[in-house]
Amino acid sequence: MTLQIEDLVVEHRSPGRPVVRAVAGASLTVSPGEVVGLVGESGCGKSTLARAVCGLNPVTGGSITFEGRPVTPLGLRRRTLTAVQMVFQDPYASLNPRRRVGDQIADGLRTAGDRATTPADLLERVGLPREFAARHPHEFSGGQRQRIAIARALAARPRMLIGDEPISALDASAQAQVATLMRDLAVDSGAGLLFISHDLSVVRLIADRIAVMYLGRIVEVGNTAEVWADPRHPYTRALLQAIPRPDGMGVLPAELPGDVPDPANPPAGCRFHPRCPLAMDVCREKEPAPGPVACWLHEPA
Amino acid sequence: MTLEITGLKVSLGGRDILRGVDLHLEKGRVHGLAGESGSGKTMTGLAVLGLLPHGARATGRIDLGGRDLLTLPPRELNKVRGGQVAMVFQDPATSLHPMLSVGRQLTEHMRHHLGLGRAEARARAVELLGKVRIPGAEEAYGRFPHQFSGGMRQRIAIAIALACSPRVLIADEPTTALDVTVQAGVLRLLRGLCDELGLAVLLVTHDLGVMSAIADEVSVMKDGLVVETGPRGQVLREPAHAYTRSLLDALPGEPGGPAEPGGKA
């Protein structure tokens, strides 16, 4: 088991505000060579979870272990855990505008102690011409920049690649391409991939397993095809039904009433019950146990 | 015919951005405009409002009620903008002013265009907030954009656009910045308003799923030209142009959608 997240709790504290529990007891595993898609609405804590896995957010409770060793928060010291690499959401902000892209990729190669590979080789792997190494980020489009960011992450020879909404800043035409590229590169190098997105149709295309997150908790985990064909948690169903289909029939997608509640003040019982069409009495009182499906409807009796 | 665009050409800095666009918008109908980024969808919307970037040259004709919007003097155009033609932008986080209350942003143009008094404008603003289904419209009037979620902000932006009872609404990627669940609500709202108020809506989006859900007619743009236009069912089910077919083929997953069991592509 490569990456193991157990009962993770991450809190955001800011002065004068209540403590926000962005991740409230989430468990997830990602094996080598496996692609796990993490989906959920904005504000559900999926990005916080990704940042915690990289050590970018301090952990309040629970544990994150990578290959048996705990993931420690990043500090001023040189980091020891270079096998976990992240591709960020916005390639306009994640690349240094003042350095040549080849130099930025070379940083990763140096980290991995790789003298045989050149930045141009990596550019070639992500489908860009070798000459691009001498250019600066502003000379590229969003899709090209995200490919460069992926090349930079791959240069450090990661055994776990994390994509935090890596495609949401890109054009629709580039989204599927970049997502598939990330999958292929991760799987070919035997690394695991934790792919975070709010776009279910893209996650479906590349993920082996899907984890659905709602308000800091993972409510359903399962094989992608199974979750897609037979979503069991009412929230997963609502998410899938809300996707408009390009069938030309003019069917308005189903609406999920209400907004995501404030994570600083989550509802009692099951966190989804105020918006759930199937809420029962027990849902208002007790929180369902985490499992493949965290819902009282699917609780083993 | 509410709005008719014929032979619209726009060039900017010597480059042709639009190369002769023809579009017809009708009352109570949603006209979807699809295409990749850079195909000129947004420019078409901006040209209608006379909001093209500095230095852009537009030729052709944009006919609204017998007047050509391209040749209208600025004073006249100002009366059309916001009054008869309104626009909803992609990102409600940036299209609303962060320092002005929702009420102020909702009433300012109403008082200007319609000449309403303070109290009248306020009453209409509260009514509009109710119409776009903002809970607690009275309290929402005095709040600021940051106190609302993304979906609510987009609803407010739609309320602002509708305030002066426009005949044409241009929605430029109105749901791209929203989650799917919220998007569903905003799409239902747009469709309902279009039917109820008899608006002519130009919906610019790259999402063919969104297009299929609410558009009546669909036009597909490529490199500044409309390559295909027709009723929704025809364009999305039996595309005539190779480019439309390639757009549909590029979509992840088979057309059956979530209800249908099936493995990965």
Side-chain angles (χ1 to χ4, degrees):
Chain A
M1 208 60 78
T2 314
L3 178 71
Q4 200 145 11
I5 304 167
E6 265 175 52
D7 211 20
L8 179 71
V9 178
V10 183
E11 288 176 345
H12 293 307
R13 291 162 190 279
S14 44
R17 295 241 186 115
V19 174
V20 176
R21 190 168 270 217
V23 181
S27 303
L28 191 68
T29 53
V30 186
S31 313
E34 186 188 37
V35 180
V36 176
L38 184 61
V39 297
E41 287 173 275
S42 44
C44 75
K46 50 192 194 308
S47 287
T48 306
L49 185 134
R51 295 176 62 87
V53 171
C54 289
L56 293 172
N57 260 349
V59 170
T60 313
S63 68
I64 307 171
T65 49
F66 181 69
E67 294 177 342
R69 300 215 322 262
V71 172
T72 48
L74 274 181
L76 290 173
R77 287 165 190 250
R78 195 181 174 81
R79 82 182 296 186
T80 47
L81 184 73
T82 55
V84 179
Q85 290 291 329
M86 184 141 160
V87 176
F88 293 89
Q89 175 169 3
D90 184 2
Y92 290 84
S94 67
L95 296 172
N96 186 340
R98 294 174 49 135
R99 298 180 65 206
R100 290 174 202 282
V101 298
D103 295 347
Q104 298 189 51
I105 295 170
D107 289 347
L109 292 171
R110 212 171 303 124
T111 311
D114 185 345
R115 292 210 179 81
T117 320
T118 64
D121 298 336
L122 280 153
L123 285 173
E124 208 164 24
R125 275 180 72 191
V126 296
L128 294 174
R130 300 179 68 95
E131 314 81 79
F132 280 11
R135 297 199 192 171
H136 286 90
H138 73 263
E139 298 175 64
F140 300 104
S141 70
Q144 289 173 325
R145 283 181 208 219
Q146 200 60 293
R147 284 169 191 265
I148 293 164
I150 294 169
R152 182 177 63 172
L154 286 173
R157 298 201 169 269
R159 292 190 297 281
M160 175 63 53
L161 195 59
I162 292 164
D164 179 12
E165 300 258 14
I167 55 164
S168 60
L170 306 182
D171 280 341
S173 45
Q175 283 188 348
Q177 279 173 21
V178 170
T180 320
L181 175 79
M182 266 189 93
R183 181 201 158 85
D184 293 347
L185 290 172
V187 172
D188 288 351
S189 59
L193 170 62
L194 179 61
F195 190 89
I196 291 164
S197 176
H198 65 266
D199 188 342
L200 283 121
S201 48
V202 173
V203 169
R204 178 190 179 210
L205 192 68
I206 65 159
D208 300 314
R209 284 196 302 142
I210 286 188
V212 181
M213 199 164 175
Y214 183 74
L215 207 59
R217 280 184 180 255
I218 290 176
V219 295
E220 182 163 359
V221 187
N223 185 297
T224 304
E226 281 167 27
V227 171
W228 195 269
D230 179 25
R232 299 209 286 159
H233 196 284
Y235 179 61
T236 316
R237 273 185 220 159
L239 273 183
L240 292 179
Q241 278 166 6
I243 304 173
R245 290 174 219 160
D247 52 6
M249 300 300 282
V251 184
L252 283 166
E255 186 179 355
L256 178 63
D259 271 320
V260 181
D262 184 359
N265 183 21
C270 172
R271 291 164 167 252
F272 185 56
H273 89 255
R275 300 172 79 189
C276 182
L278 307 167
M280 304 174 288
D281 288 342
V282 64
C283 305
R284 290 179 193 97
E285 286 146 24
K286 276 197 285 181
E287 190 151 11
V293 185
C295 179
W296 286 113
L297 284 174
H298 301 281
E299 204 64 18
Chain B
M1 206 70 71
T2 306
L3 184 82
E4 187 159 358
I5 301 174
T6 30
L8 178 66
K9 289 183 185 166
V10 171
S11 62
L12 181 63
R15 274 183 55 214
D16 292 331
I17 294 167
L18 299 183
R19 302 186 290 145
V21 172
D22 299 305
L23 284 176
H24 311 281
L25 303 195
E26 272 174 78
K27 205 169 157 6
R29 307 280 277 173
V30 176
H31 194 119
L33 195 54
E36 284 179 74
S37 23
S39 60
K41 310 185 297 275
T42 299
M43 280 295 165
T44 309
L46 292 177
V48 175
L49 282 160
L51 292 177
L52 288 171
H54 212 69
R57 288 168 50 106
T59 56
R61 187 176 166 85
I62 301 175
D63 185 292
L64 178 76
R67 291 195 296 177
D68 184 5
L69 296 186
L70 286 179
T71 55
L72 229 48
R75 270 182 85 91
E76 292 294 311
L77 192 60
N78 277 339
K79 286 187 191 157
V80 172
R81 267 198 290 243
Q84 291 181 44
V85 182
M87 187 151 182
V88 177
F89 295 90
Q90 174 169 351
D91 187 358
T94 49
S95 68
L96 296 176
H97 197 299
M99 310 271 289
L100 298 179
S101 73
V102 165
R104 173 85 189 274
Q105 297 184 58
L106 258 166
T107 52
E108 194 173 35
H109 58 316
M110 271 200 271
R111 297 190 60 192
H112 174 79
H113 282 293
L114 307 178
L116 297 182
R118 196 182 293 264
E120 280 173 292
R122 188 195 161 98
R124 179 160 165 75
V126 172
E127 183 200 317
L128 279 164
L129 286 174
K131 195 174 253 173
V132 295
R133 287 184 282 141
I134 302 276
E138 281 284 346
E139 297 86 74
Y141 182 88
R143 294 219 203 121
F144 289 86
H146 73 266
Q147 292 168 299
F148 294 90
S149 64
M152 288 296 151
R153 279 186 212 149
Q154 196 60 296
R155 285 167 191 269
I156 292 168
I158 292 172
I160 292 173
L162 295 177
C164 299
S165 317
R167 292 154 69 193
V168 179
L169 179 70
I170 296 166
D172 186 4
E173 305 267 9
T175 58
T176 306
L178 307 176
D179 284 320
V180 279
T181 50
V182 180
Q183 162 174 296
V186 172
L187 291 180
R188 280 172 174 263
L189 174 72
L190 268 177
R191 183 71 244 189
L193 290 168
C194 172
D195 296 341
E196 186 190 331
L197 307 172
L199 282 170
V201 179
L202 178 65
L203 175 78
V204 177
T205 180
H206 67 265
D207 188 332
L208 294 173
V210 168
M211 197 66 89
S212 162
I214 73 166
D216 298 301
E217 272 90 42
V218 175
S219 291
V220 181
M221 282 189 77
K222 183 182 196 299
D223 299 335
L225 284 172
V226 174
V227 295
E228 182 165 5
T229 188
R232 167 192 64 218
Q234 186 195 320
V235 175
L236 292 176
R237 295 172 79 92
E238 294 141 16
H241 197 278
Y243 180 66
T244 317
R245 219 167 303 133
S246 74
L247 277 184
L248 284 163
D249 289 345
L251 292 172
E254 51 271 76
E260 230 173 46
K264 283 182 315 202

